[in-house]
Amino acid sequence: MQRDIDIAIIGGGIAGLTAALSLHAAGFHPTVYESVAVPAPLGVGINLLPHAVRELAELGLLDELRAIGFEIHDLNYLTAGGELVWHEPRGSKAGYNWPQIAIHRGDLQMFLLAKVRERLGPQSVRLGHELRSLEVDGPRPRAHLHDRESDSDLTITPDLLLGSDGIHSQVRRAFYPNEGSPLWNGITLWRSTAPIDAPMGGRAMIWAGTAAQKFVAYPIGPDPVTGAPRLNWICDLKVTEVDSPPPRDWNKLGDRADFLPRFADWRWNGVDVPAIVEAAGPIYEFPMIDRDPLPQWTFGQATLLGDAAHPMYPIGSNGATQSIIDARVLSWHLAKASSIPAALAAYESDRREATAGIVMINRQKGPDQVLDLAAERLKAGGALASVLPHAERQEIADLYKKIAGFDPATLNARPSFSVRPD
């Protein structure tokens, strides 16, 4: 395929910026259109699993990622009383050829943005450009945008348009105008970071409780300004029934009084949940939402990737990871195919059903189901080893890795999606 085709990326988040870097590495010259006029390092912690880190390493970013993130070595699942339900090594400690890196989402986005500007030039990212409408019934997509700085409208007709504009994607809405709001499972998440050293060895992810009441924590490296440690934490609570409408405010400041009393006695194994929450800065409240898998991502010469294509519950650390893999797979097919339609068909064939499987298993609690099984069976009495045998716990962990694409032996043997200009 010719490398001088006009590619527009709608959305400058993790998926869109990774796509820009990957396309550039393959010899293409995309332009990113981002609705935010002044990007800021917003958000809290995320995990990049080894299959995503591998792809970023192929872009030459691993050393710098290690510098701004934090390598995770262990995963511990605990009951609400602190009993260890499941432990497994993670990243390089689990035999992967690449680490698992926990990182502040905003730090990662700002890092990728800087790399896009450095490698593709400052003109490659057009900030403050909001997509208002999209038509895909002609030979090229026709996108109508609004430039916030000049308060003017413009229309672009690229050869290829990539919709990476998140869970509230305008590109997806153009494809499916009657889909409606994201789906809420009735669980609310309160999230923040605290200047506290990570417990349980210092490089562990902690999952404790059940789906209806859960505490999650992991380190994401020092604060870039103060140098203080940052422990990312999440408190989940079931607050309403599944069929309730989702909140309208998707990212509001949270109040400790709304959830902390429920965690007042959660202290064990060097983990003091109330102390962690009290030490935190601003707390943000989110509904746990996703969308149903789509029957089709591609319309004409426009397609979806990342959260625009497959928003999923934050279970199993797969949201950002799958977005990165989307970007790499799409770029690989564009570099290898003879035409845009052929590339998009191959990309969707590789990714749509694979990510739908993760969306659906996350709705069934993914690897976290081991916590609910432990809580339910321990109620009847008996030791954990007898009511939930180790082999059953291992099977749950292994199945999730297989569905999500990071079984160690398979991943280590599979080639990356690295491409170079012809």
Side-chain angles (χ1 to χ4, degrees), residues 26-247:
F28 296 98
H29 306 282
T31 301
V32 178
Y33 296 88
E34 165 57 44
S35 63
V36 172
V38 182
L42 303 178
V44 283
I46 57 173
N47 269 272
L48 302 177
L49 297 179
H51 46 333
V53 174
R54 173 189 195 167
E55 298 303 327
L56 295 175
E58 290 290 336
L59 291 169
L61 304 176
L62 181 55
D63 289 344
E64 290 168 285
L65 279 175
R66 280 190 162 121
I68 62 174
F70 202 76
E71 190 168 336
I72 296 295
H73 290 172
D74 299 282
L75 169 64
N76 296 313
Y77 280 115
L78 311 171
T79 67
E83 181 178 359
L84 184 65
V85 175
W86 177 251
H87 166 265
E88 64 182 41
R90 279 279 166 144
S92 56
K93 295 296 182 181
Y96 293 98
N97 294 337
W98 309 271
Q100 175 175 327
I101 295 178
I103 191 169
H104 190 284
R105 177 185 288 275
D107 291 350
L108 176 61
Q109 184 177 2
M110 294 301 100
F111 168 70
L112 294 174
L113 176 60
K115 286 298 175 184
V116 170
R117 286 170 162 163
E118 173 189 318
R119 296 181 181 184
L120 282 71
Q123 76 288 345
S124 63
V125 180
R126 303 190 66 178
L127 299 174
H129 282 68
E130 178 185 10
L131 179 68
R132 292 288 177 84
S133 63
L134 173 64
E135 301 155 20
V136 292
D137 52 355
R140 291 183 173 189
R142 188 174 183 85
H144 305 281
L145 301 105
H146 182 73
D147 181 348
R148 292 178 173 176
E149 183 177 0
S150 64
D151 194 24
S152 61
D153 297 324
L154 70 153
T155 297
I156 59 172
T157 55
D159 298 297
L160 171 63
L161 184 140
L162 308 179
S164 58
D165 47 341
I167 193 168
H168 302 295
S169 169
Q170 291 284 62
V171 177
R172 180 173 175 138
R173 186 170 301 157
F175 295 167
Y176 296 93
N178 299 317
E179 183 180 26
S181 298
L183 306 174
W184 184 34
N185 66 357
I187 293 173
T188 294
L189 298 76
W190 288 267
R191 307 188 63 168
S192 187
T193 61
I196 291 177
D197 289 322
M200 303 191 75
R203 292 185 178 270
M205 305 171 72
I206 301 165
W207 257 249
T210 64
Q213 181 175 356
K214 184 167 59 182
F215 175 75
V216 175
Y218 51 86
I220 57 172
D223 185 285
V225 177
T226 67
R230 287 183 297 177
L231 183 68
N232 182 80
W233 61 264
I234 311 163
C235 286
D236 295 5
L237 280 179
K238 180 80 169 180
V239 297
T240 189
E241 296 304 316
V242 174
D243 58 359
S244 299

Side-chain angles (χ1 to χ4, degrees), residues 167-371:
I167 193 168
H168 302 295
S169 169
Q170 291 284 62
V171 177
R172 180 173 175 138
R173 186 170 301 157
F175 295 167
Y176 296 93
N178 299 317
E179 183 180 26
S181 298
L183 306 174
W184 184 34
N185 66 357
I187 293 173
T188 294
L189 298 76
W190 288 267
R191 307 188 63 168
S192 187
T193 61
I196 291 177
D197 289 322
M200 303 191 75
R203 292 185 178 270
M205 305 171 72
I206 301 165
W207 257 249
T210 64
Q213 181 175 356
K214 184 167 59 182
F215 175 75
V216 175
Y218 51 86
I220 57 172
D223 185 285
V225 177
T226 67
R230 287 183 297 177
L231 183 68
N232 182 80
W233 61 264
I234 311 163
C235 286
D236 295 5
L237 280 179
K238 180 80 169 180
V239 297
T240 189
E241 296 304 316
V242 174
D243 58 359
S244 299
R248 292 186 178 183
D249 189 348
W250 306 99
N251 187 8
K252 69 177 183 179
L253 286 173
D255 187 338
R256 290 171 175 81
D258 291 338
F259 67 95
L260 188 53
R262 296 276 297 275
F263 294 87
D265 299 326
W266 287 40
R267 296 181 174 91
W268 15 252
N269 298 341
V271 180
D272 187 330
V273 175
I276 290 169
V277 173
E278 290 293 354
I283 296 171
Y284 296 94
E285 180 181 328
F286 305 83
M288 188 180 288
I289 53 178
D290 70 358
R291 290 187 184 272
D292 288 333
L294 294 173
Q296 181 178 346
W297 287 358
T298 302
F299 291 81
Q301 295 191 168
T303 197
L304 301 169
L305 64 159
D307 284 348
H310 48 71
M312 56 188 65
Y313 292 159
I315 292 171
S317 305
N318 259 288
T321 288
Q322 296 302 321
S323 295
I324 289 166
I325 294 171
D326 284 351
R328 298 286 290 162
V329 172
L330 176 56
S331 301
W332 190 88
H333 282 301
L334 283 166
K336 298 293 184 180
S338 59
S339 68
I340 291 174
L344 296 183
Y347 159 69
E348 186 166 333
S349 177
D350 276 354
R351 297 298 296 155
R352 186 169 56 79
E353 289 189 10
T355 53
I358 304 172
V359 171
M360 300 312 292
I361 196 173
N362 280 5
R363 287 184 178 179
Q364 300 301 316
K365 305 171 188 175
D368 294 11
Q369 66 180 287
V370 73
L371 293 173

Side-chain angles (χ1 to χ4, degrees), residues 385-402:
S386 60
V387 300
L388 187 60
H390 183 274
E392 185 176 357
R393 289 173 266 168
Q394 183 78 60
E395 183 180 8
I396 292 169
D398 290 348
L399 176 62
Y400 190 77
K401 291 184 180 70
K402 182 178 180 180

